[in-house]
């Protein structure tokens, strides 16, 4: 039917007058923020339904295939047996930064066919007013050189996961490829017909029209890459290498100024603060890891050791990233992103085994085992020759890793983007194609964690390390669930981020403001917030981000630090049961202890593997000793009995 008035319902079930006009930001009756959830209606049938139509007495047709859920507080309609067309959306949930997700089904009685349901998608490239973001083609000529290359890089990274499911055609439909600032986002997924063979040649042919009008500084290289894709049987990896080199060379043309601040707060109710973060407080600006590293951990285990686990994780990560930054600084050539991602994954496995070993040492079982969530960002300053031919000390790479439900957001003047995916039961149900996300959230255990650092051996961890390029001014926000619960970040980012972006408050003040918001809305929990203000505009050219100190200085610092043992205070409350299997558990092979370092004669130290067997009360010291001074570590190992010597990693 054609609606006479566009209305939206308040999500507060206790609201006495829940009906509000579409476009209002808060409920006139109870002041609850109104949720405007715009959806993409798939299929040719939905395209025939005119704007102004009310579908299923719930969905308002705003424009061509853009619908608004006017009752977002109600659970969506989901059939007991999920249709085949939905499964691929669920399997690709880890790619939610770029891909839409299945939301609901709506009957199409208004179109005259009441036995056909229309699949509705959420997390689509539609802004808060219901307008679709522009296509790559529409935004191409106005984009900077680095952004043009970055868009192509993201499309290329989606090629493999989509091709494996027969969905590569989704990347060949120009109208389907939308951009929200730096980020490429798809409207929907298209199945590649069985009779049609899609290859990189097809992708190159699509790109030909774009690169013809690329910015001058990258045009020749892009045209060469696309020509190879169109004319030869070139491997995907070869294109990846060339495109990555051009991406970093063009990003390095920009200045980069980073300002980091962080703090953790006990909240209004808890007796202990089981969160930990780095940096913590506002007086450690001379630390050598700043501004390259930021960490937030949320300990689990209450009186059984959540505070210990989060502190162990922060200290262990700091030790490893110091050495990694020093190694990267010494490289004469670019280290591939895949190798750096593997290195960071291995580092997290070591962190896991440090905590796991402490659990084993103290004979903790089941719910007694301590653990922690973790979200961390590492800005790796690789040297690269820019497209203009001069040597830059920073290629603007930002690596992001998370385990658990601590989150990372990227915020600019125009948008707030969630970069991480929670490791909880609701997400697990979606990944295993058992349910749609909104329905999975109705489970009583929906937010219970399915993995964290320290509960089990590192082989059971399912890790994802993402690589981003900092090519616009923005804020990287890391936080624990004390702030991210109930979508407080998504609802409040404009009030708390824009003053920092406009230079009206300092990074330290912004951290305090976010924590005050968390205590106001969710004071029953601890809260940790770490902000990195990233600036690449030419007006910020002045200070240069310092390079990490050389390995020799780090070794001296570590030896000094390790002279005094770290002590922790046991916390006093049990928070969460993490004994929930991933079902089935993902078995991920730990990288080998040693692999070849690119462009250098000596070997690249990989963290993990057999080192986990040595961790215990002095695990941080053993790890740091082996990583920084392998000869000395081997001399120490020779003093052990033969069975212990066999556990020592070999240099």
């Amino acid at each position: 039917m054609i609606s006479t008035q566009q209305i939206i319902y308040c999500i507060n079930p206790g609201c006495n007058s829940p009906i509000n006009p579409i476009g209002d930001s808060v409920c006139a009756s109870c002041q609850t923020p109104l949720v405007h959830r715009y959806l993409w209606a798939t299929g040719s049938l939905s395209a025939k339904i005119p704007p102004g139509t009310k579908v299923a007495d719930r969905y308002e047709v705003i424009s061509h295939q853009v619908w608004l859920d006017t009752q977002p507080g109600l659970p969506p309609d989901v059939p007991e047996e999920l249709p085949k067309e939905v499964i691929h959306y669920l399997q690709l949930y880890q790619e939610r930064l770029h891909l839409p997700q299945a939301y609901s089904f709506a009957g199409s009685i208004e179109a005259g066919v009441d036995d056909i349901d229309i699949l509705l998608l959420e997390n689509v490239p539609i802004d808060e007013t219901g307008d679709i973001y522009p296509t790559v083609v529409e935004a191409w000529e106005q984009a900077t050189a680095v952004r043009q290359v970055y868009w192509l890089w993201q499309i290329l990274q989606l090629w493999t996961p989509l091709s494996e499911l027969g969905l590569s055609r989704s990347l060949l439909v120009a109208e389907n490829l939308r951009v929200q600032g730096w980020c490429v986002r798809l409207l929907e997924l298209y199945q590649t017909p069985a009779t049609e063979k899609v290859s990189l040649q097809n992708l190159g042919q699509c790109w030909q029209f774009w690169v013809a009008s690329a910015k001058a500084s990258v045009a020749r290289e892009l045209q060469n890459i696309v020509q190879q894709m169109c004319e030869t049987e070139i491997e995907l990896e070869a294109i990846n290498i060339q495109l990555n080199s051009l991406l970093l060379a063009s990003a390095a043309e920009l200045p980069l100024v980073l300002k980091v601040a962080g703090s953790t707060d006990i909240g209004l109710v808890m007796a202990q603060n089981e969160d930990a973060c780095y940096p913590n407080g506002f007086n450690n600006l001379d630390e050598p890891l700043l501004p390259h590293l930021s960490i937030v951990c949320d300990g689990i285990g209450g009186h059984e050791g959540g505070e210990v686990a989060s502190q162990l994780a922060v200290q262990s990560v700091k030790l490893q990233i110091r050495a990694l930054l020093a190694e990267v600084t010494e490289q004469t050539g670019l280290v591939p992103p895949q190798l750096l991602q593997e290195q960071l994954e291995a580092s997290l496995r070591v962190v896991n085994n440090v905590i796991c070993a402490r659990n084993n040492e103290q004979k903790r079982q089941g719910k007694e085992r301590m653990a922690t969530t973790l979200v961390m960002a590492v800005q790796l300053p690789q040297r690269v020759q820019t497209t203009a031919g001069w040597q830059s000390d920073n290629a603007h790479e930002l690596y992001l890793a998370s385990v658990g439900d601590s989150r990372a957001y990227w915020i600019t003047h125009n948008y707030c983007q969630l970069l991480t995916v929670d490791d909880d039961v609701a997400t697990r149900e979606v990944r295993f194609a058992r349910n749609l996300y909104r329905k999975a959230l109705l489970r009583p255990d929906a937010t219970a964690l399915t993995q964290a650092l320290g509960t089990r051996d590192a082989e059971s961890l399912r890790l994802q390390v993402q690589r981003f390029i900092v090519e616009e001014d923005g804020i990287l926000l890391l936080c624990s669930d004390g702030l991210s619960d109930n979508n407080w970040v998504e609802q409040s980012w404009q009030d708390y981020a824009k003053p920092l972006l406009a230079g009206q408050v300092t990074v330290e003040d912004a951290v305090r403001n976010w924590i005050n918001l968390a205590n106001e809305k969710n004071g029953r929990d601890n809260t940790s917030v770490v902000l990195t203000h990233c600036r690449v505009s030419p007006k910020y050219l002045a200070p240069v981000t310092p390079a990490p100190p050389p390995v020799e200085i780090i070794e001296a610092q570590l030896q000094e630090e390790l002279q005094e043992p770290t002590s922790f205070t046991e916390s006093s409350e049990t928070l969460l049961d993490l004994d929930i299997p991933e079902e089935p558990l993902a078995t991920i092979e730990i990288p080998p202890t040693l692999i070849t370092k690119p462009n250098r004669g000596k070997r690249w130290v990989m963290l993990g593997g057999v080192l986990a067997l040595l961790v215990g009360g002095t695990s941080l010291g053993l790890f740091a000793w082996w990583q920084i001074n392998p000869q000395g570590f081997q001399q120490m190992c020779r003093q052990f009995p033969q069975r212990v010597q066999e556990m020592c990693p070999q240099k």
Side-chain angles (χ1 to χ4, degrees), residues 41-331:
T42 63
S44 59
L45 189 61
S46 65
K48 300 176 182 178
I49 304 177
T53 304
K54 197 71 167 286
V55 179
D57 200 29
R58 173 171 181 172
Y59 300 103
E60 185 83 28
V61 181
I62 303 300
S63 61
H64 179 77
Q65 293 185 264
V66 175
W67 296 11
L68 175 69
D69 186 353
T70 63
Q71 300 182 59
L74 298 181
D77 294 324
V78 181
E80 287 298 322
E81 184 176 347
L82 295 178
K84 183 179 179 181
E85 62 182 309
V86 174
I87 302 303
H88 291 328
Y89 288 97
L90 306 183
Q91 293 172 327
L92 290 165
Y93 189 77
Q94 285 294 124
E95 302 290 346
R96 66 176 302 280
L97 182 61
H98 302 286
L99 304 183
Q101 285 301 310
Y103 180 74
S104 179
F105 289 87
S108 53
I109 298 175
E110 291 75 5
V113 189
D114 58 5
D115 60 344
I116 298 178
D117 284 337
I118 295 173
L119 172 62
L120 301 179
L121 303 177
E122 64 172 326
N123 189 44
V124 284
I126 300 175
D127 67 18
E128 64 277 2
T129 64
D131 293 327
I132 305 176
Y133 285 114
T135 64
V136 173
V137 175
E138 292 167 341
W140 182 262
E141 291 191 7
Q142 289 74 42
T144 62
V146 61
R147 182 161 289 186
Q148 289 177 341
V149 182
Y150 197 14
W151 286 342
L152 299 185
W153 166 264
Q154 293 172 63
I155 294 171
L156 198 63
Q157 303 319 297
L158 290 171
W159 183 260
T160 296
L162 293 187
S163 295
E164 290 174 348
L165 296 177
L167 301 168
S168 53
R169 180 169 169 262
S170 307
L171 300 174
L172 306 180
V173 180
E175 283 294 312
N176 198 43
L177 298 172
R178 303 282 168 162
V179 287
Q180 182 189 24
W182 66 273
C183 185
V184 174
R185 302 182 61 184
L186 275 60
L187 270 174
E188 59 182 296
L189 298 177
Y190 292 101
Q191 189 75 42
T192 304
T195 57
E196 183 180 332
K197 183 179 180 182
V198 176
S199 67
L200 282 177
Q201 186 176 23
N202 301 109
L203 187 62
Q205 291 168 351
C206 289
W207 288 5
Q208 273 183 322
F209 302 101
W210 306 347
V211 302
S213 58
K215 290 293 187 289
S217 60
V218 297
R220 180 177 297 179
E221 286 291 331
L222 282 180
Q223 290 165 7
N224 179 51
I225 291 172
V226 169
Q227 184 177 4
Q228 294 177 61
M229 294 170 67
C230 293
E231 297 180 358
T232 65
E233 294 290 333
I234 192 167
E235 294 292 330
L236 177 64
E237 181 60 24
I239 297 298
N240 261 324
I241 293 171
Q242 295 179 58
L243 200 57
N244 179 65
S245 297
L246 181 59
L247 175 59
L248 299 188
S250 56
E253 292 275 349
L254 300 171
L256 180 60
V257 179
L258 305 174
K259 173 71 174 178
V260 184
S263 186
T264 183
D265 190 89
I266 194 172
L268 306 179
V269 176
M270 302 289 288
Q272 295 281 350
N273 189 354
E274 298 189 332
D275 282 8
C277 68
Y278 179 81
N280 184 10
F282 309 123
N283 299 315
N284 50 5
L285 301 182
D286 58 341
E287 289 238 4
L289 286 173
L290 296 180
H292 297 285
L293 175 65
S294 53
I295 312 169
V296 164
C297 292
D298 184 355
I300 300 162
H303 71 281
E304 299 297 342
E307 182 181 4
V308 178
S310 62
Q311 292 283 358
L312 273 173
V314 169
Q315 296 305 321
S316 181
V317 167
K318 286 171 62 178
L319 287 171
Q320 295 169 77
I321 298 304
R322 284 186 186 184
L324 176 60
L325 287 172
E327 283 284 340
V328 170
T329 302
E330 290 184 355
Q331 300 302 304

Side-chain angles (χ1 to χ4, degrees), residues 572-643:
S572 60
E573 295 189 28
T574 301
L575 281 185
L576 188 61
D577 174 15
L578 233 158
D579 194 21
I580 302 175
E582 269 286 297
E583 190 189 326
L585 288 175
T587 302
I588 305 177
E589 185 176 343
I590 297 179
T593 305
L594 297 174
I595 65 175
T596 304
K597 181 187 294 184
N599 300 314
R600 298 190 66 189
K602 57 183 183 177
R603 291 170 290 184
W604 179 274
V605 179
M606 288 298 292
L607 312 179
V610 74
L611 178 62
L613 297 173
L614 293 172
V615 294
T618 59
S619 55
L620 295 179
L622 284 173
F623 165 70
W625 192 354
W626 173 61
Q627 185 178 7
I628 301 301
N629 188 352
Q631 290 83 5
F633 184 79
Q634 289 300 321
Q635 291 176 5
M636 178 271 292
C637 283
R638 294 189 191 102
Q639 300 177 29
F640 289 149
Q642 182 62 34
R643 61 183 180 83

Side-chain angles (χ1 to χ4, degrees), residues 271-581:
Q272 295 281 350
N273 189 354
E274 298 189 332
D275 282 8
C277 68
Y278 179 81
N280 184 10
F282 309 123
N283 299 315
N284 50 5
L285 301 182
D286 58 341
E287 289 238 4
L289 286 173
L290 296 180
H292 297 285
L293 175 65
S294 53
I295 312 169
V296 164
C297 292
D298 184 355
I300 300 162
H303 71 281
E304 299 297 342
E307 182 181 4
V308 178
S310 62
Q311 292 283 358
L312 273 173
V314 169
Q315 296 305 321
S316 181
V317 167
K318 286 171 62 178
L319 287 171
Q320 295 169 77
I321 298 304
R322 284 186 186 184
L324 176 60
L325 287 172
E327 283 284 340
V328 170
T329 302
E330 290 184 355
Q331 300 302 304
T332 57
L334 285 176
V335 182
Q338 182 180 0
L339 181 57
L340 290 170
Q341 288 167 321
E342 291 173 354
Q343 177 82 349
L344 291 168
E345 285 184 17
S347 297
L348 290 182
R349 296 187 193 283
V350 170
V351 174
N352 179 88
N353 287 351
V354 166
I355 301 169
C356 193
R358 183 67 62 90
N359 280 323
N360 295 341
E361 180 184 272
Q362 298 176 3
K363 295 180 171 50
R364 298 176 183 267
Q365 299 294 328
K367 297 180 181 180
E368 297 178 351
R369 294 179 74 82
M370 60 183 174
T372 185
T373 70
L374 177 143
V375 59
M376 73 171 183
V378 184
Q379 199 284 301
L380 283 169
Q382 292 205 69
R383 291 193 183 96
V384 62
Q385 183 172 330
T386 68
T387 51
W390 54 277
Q391 191 77 11
S392 171
D393 287 332
N394 203 321
H396 293 225
E397 290 178 290
L398 180 72
Y399 287 84
L400 189 67
S402 67
V403 178
D405 61 358
S406 294
R407 290 182 173 183
Y409 295 86
W410 178 251
I411 306 174
T412 71
H413 283 286
N414 300 316
Y415 44 77
C416 172
Q417 297 165 327
L418 175 60
L419 303 179
T420 51
V421 177
D422 294 344
D423 292 314
D424 58 19
V425 170
T427 299
R428 183 193 66 187
E429 293 298 290
V430 175
R431 287 195 304 104
F432 291 158
R434 294 174 180 158
N435 217 330
L436 272 58
Y437 184 69
R438 296 290 169 179
K439 189 172 181 181
L441 283 177
L442 300 177
R443 292 175 55 123
D445 60 350
T447 60
L449 299 183
T450 54
Q451 68 172 1
L453 296 176
T455 56
R456 298 185 289 268
D457 187 81
E459 290 186 4
S460 66
L461 283 177
R462 180 181 50 82
L463 298 172
Q464 183 181 34
V465 179
Q466 304 174 81
R467 198 275 297 266
F468 301 94
I469 301 298
V470 181
E471 49 87 62
E472 66 179 346
D473 296 342
I475 300 168
L476 179 67
L477 164 63
L478 307 186
C479 64
S480 59
D481 61 352
L483 175 60
S484 63
D485 272 353
N486 300 310
N487 297 319
W488 288 117
V489 174
E490 288 86 344
Q491 294 177 20
S492 309
W493 67 271
Q494 297 193 55
D495 295 331
Y496 289 85
K498 286 191 173 182
L500 174 57
L501 291 168
Q504 298 169 357
V505 299
T506 66
V507 184
E508 293 81 4
D509 287 339
V511 169
R512 295 186 186 98
N513 293 340
W514 279 111
I515 288 178
N516 290 339
L517 171 69
N519 285 336
E520 175 189 343
K521 302 295 185 180
N522 192 26
R524 59 180 173 77
D525 201 356
N526 310 142
T527 298
S528 292
V529 173
V530 178
L531 296 179
T532 304
H533 188 190
C534 307
R535 296 174 291 182
V536 302
S537 299
K539 63 182 178 180
Y540 298 120
L541 190 58
V544 177
T545 303
V551 173
E552 293 76 11
I553 295 178
I554 289 181
E555 180 178 358
Q557 291 173 338
L558 290 178
Q559 290 174 348
E560 182 177 332
E561 287 182 11
L562 293 170
Q563 286 176 358
E564 296 185 8
T566 305
S567 61
F568 304 99
T569 303
E570 296 284 343
S571 50
S572 60
E573 295 189 28
T574 301
L575 281 185
L576 188 61
D577 174 15
L578 233 158
D579 194 21
I580 302 175

Side-chain angles (χ1 to χ4, degrees), residues 16-31:
N16 295 322
S17 182
I19 298 178
N20 294 268
I22 288 178
D24 285 5
S25 58
V26 297
C27 176
S29 175
C30 68
Q31 301 302 303

